[in-house]
Amino acid sequence: MISIIIPVYNKSNYIKDTLMSVLSQSITDIEVIVIDDGSTDNSLNIVEKIRENDHRIKLYVNPHKGVSFARNTGLKNASGEYITFIDADDTVAPDYLEQLLKYSKNDLVVSGLIEDNKSTNQKKIINAARREIFFGQFGRFIFNHDNFPIFSMAVTKLYSSKIIKDNQLKFRKSQFGEDTLFVMDYIVHCKNIRVIGYAGYINQILDQTLSRKYLENIWDIVVTIPNEANRLFNLKFNKGWQYLYVRSIKLSLLNNRNRPDVFKNGCKKIAQDPSFSYLKLVKAKNISDSILVCLIKFKLYSLLLRLYKSMY
């Protein structure tokens, strides 16, 4: 059986479509664990009404404590041999679970994602290179521009319930990157990973999602990802670590770009970070990364701010 964990917070416009896409799967041996995270809209009523006609839905109601707490409630109550996560404003193709289950002999199955941008009416497929990878290859394969985006999210994957429970894995409480940290925490306990070419998870790109909100002390939050990757996968400040670290710098600058004083102070904090000295320009993915690092290194924060404001 597959346990499907769906956290819900004020998604009354989307949760019905999400649940119907799950309940219509070609694989029927499932339990659908819905965790209402203290919704103040009609989300809970919608779920309760659908549950009346399909008892595969298990509903839990929490006070509002965030997506990590909600998902952890789901993990605690999951009884399936396999686990997958779906967000309450996304949908999945009818054969989504069937395609993942074909490769369930692997410790982790990773499928692709279709980004459906409603504001631009554009769709984009995100995936990693199709292959089976083994312990010892994970760091080199995952932490790069091509493959990391799909590994940074908790969805699109089939997890082993045994690995999660044996290692007492759970989502960390964080304002950003909790998906990535969970995936990394899980992968270090895997022997093999299968990346498949199939993309049946439809991610709706909506305005003002959590990842687009302004966050205070952003650098302290986002730098956790390269730091943890360095520790868990013994990257030794290699190209994979540099990719993650520069990515964290970009996220921090993007978050602060409309607050000049915060932007400049954020740049100073990055430059003072002990790991900043490990950046090697020769390892940069492209020239823009090298320019970014140089501007921070030589304290040209005002110029960097003008560049960011002109680009975004």
Side-chain angles (χ1 to χ4, degrees):
M1 183 170 69
I2 302 176
S3 298
I4 303 147
I5 296 175
I6 307 175
V8 181
Y9 179 67
N10 291 348
K11 297 294 182 181
S12 59
N13 292 334
Y14 309 100
I15 186 59
K16 181 178 179 180
D17 289 342
T18 301
L19 285 176
M20 297 313 296
S21 74
V22 172
L23 297 172
S24 301
Q25 290 293 296
S26 56
I27 295 291
T28 58
D29 187 18
I30 62 175
E31 63 174 4
V32 185
I33 303 176
V34 180
I35 309 94
D36 184 87
D37 184 35
S39 294
T40 58
D41 64 0
N42 200 38
S43 296
L44 181 57
N45 291 333
I46 293 171
V47 175
E48 288 176 332
K49 185 173 182 180
I50 296 174
R51 186 179 60 159
E52 291 176 0
N53 298 314
D54 198 319
H55 296 294
R56 291 178 296 176
I57 296 176
K58 296 182 178 180
L59 177 61
Y60 299 88
V61 181
N62 288 343
H64 183 49
K65 292 188 177 182
V67 66
S68 290
F69 188 87
R71 284 174 174 162
N72 288 337
T73 298
L75 289 174
K76 182 179 179 181
N77 292 281
S79 56
E81 184 179 359
Y82 305 103
I83 289 174
T84 193
F85 301 96
I86 297 176
D87 288 343
D89 49 13
D90 296 335
T91 59
V92 289
D95 64 340
Y96 175 69
L97 296 178
E98 180 181 352
Q99 294 297 327
L100 292 178
L101 202 58
K102 287 180 180 179
Y103 303 92
S104 59
K105 65 180 181 64
N106 298 96
D107 289 337
L108 178 67
V109 184
V110 181
S111 68
L113 174 144
I114 301 172
E115 279 192 349
D116 186 5
N117 193 318
K118 296 300 184 182
S119 61
T120 62
N121 291 320
Q122 293 181 331
K123 294 184 179 181
K124 174 185 176 183
I125 295 178
I126 299 175
N127 209 340
R130 292 178 57 184
R131 58 174 289 190
E132 185 175 12
I133 52 177
F134 299 92
F135 188 84
Q137 303 173 329
F138 295 161
R140 185 168 61 256
F141 180 83
I142 294 170
F143 301 119
N144 57 70
H145 179 270
D146 295 326
N147 295 333
F148 180 71
I150 200 67
F151 280 92
S152 69
M153 55 189 79
V155 299
T156 79
K157 299 166 183 65
L158 188 71
Y159 303 85
S160 162
S161 181
K162 185 176 187 305
I163 290 177
I164 291 174
K165 292 180 179 179
D166 285 352
N167 296 285
Q168 299 180 326
L169 300 179
K170 61 182 181 179
F171 285 83
R172 308 187 199 185
K173 184 178 180 180
S174 177
Q175 292 178 283
F176 184 92
E178 65 277 359
D179 281 37
T180 304
L181 294 170
F182 177 83
V183 173
M184 292 195 302
D185 286 340
Y186 179 90
I187 287 175
V188 294
H189 299 289
C190 294
K191 296 178 181 178
N192 52 55
I193 299 171
R194 170 71 72 171
V195 181
I196 62 177
Y198 172 82
Y201 188 103
I202 299 93
N203 172 224
Q204 296 196 66
I205 304 300
L206 308 172
D207 292 335
Q208 305 206 348
T209 59
L210 178 62
S211 58
R212 289 179 172 83
K213 291 181 179 178
Y214 171 76
L215 298 176
E216 293 184 6
N217 301 314
I218 181 68
W219 178 247
D220 294 332
I221 299 169
V222 297
V223 77
T224 303
I225 292 174
N227 286 347
E228 283 296 273
N230 206 38
R231 179 182 69 86
L232 292 170
F233 297 91
N234 195 28
L235 299 182
K236 297 180 179 179
F237 302 101
N238 65 6
K239 288 184 179 180
W241 170 83
Q242 170 145 323
Y243 162 75
L244 293 175
Y245 196 85
V246 172
R247 176 180 176 271
S248 293
I249 292 175
K250 292 176 179 177
L251 289 169
S252 178
L253 299 181
L254 187 64
N255 179 79
N256 296 338
R257 70 191 186 282
N258 293 322
R259 295 167 172 81
D261 290 339
V262 175
F263 185 95
K264 293 175 183 178
N265 288 332
C267 289
K268 292 177 183 177
K269 193 167 190 176
I270 293 168
Q272 293 168 358
D273 186 88
S275 297
F276 184 79
S277 62
Y278 288 98
L279 285 176
K280 305 296 183 184
L281 298 183
V282 293
K283 294 182 180 179
K285 174 68 177 178
N286 52 48
I287 189 65
S288 63
D289 289 352
S290 297
I291 293 173
L292 171 65
V293 174
C294 283
L295 291 175
I296 294 176
K297 182 178 181 180
F298 294 107
K299 302 179 181 180
L300 299 174
Y301 307 144
S302 296
L303 176 57
L304 184 56
L305 176 58
R306 288 199 297 270
L307 287 174
Y308 255 75
K309 290 181 77 69
S310 66
M311 289 189 297
Y312 302 101

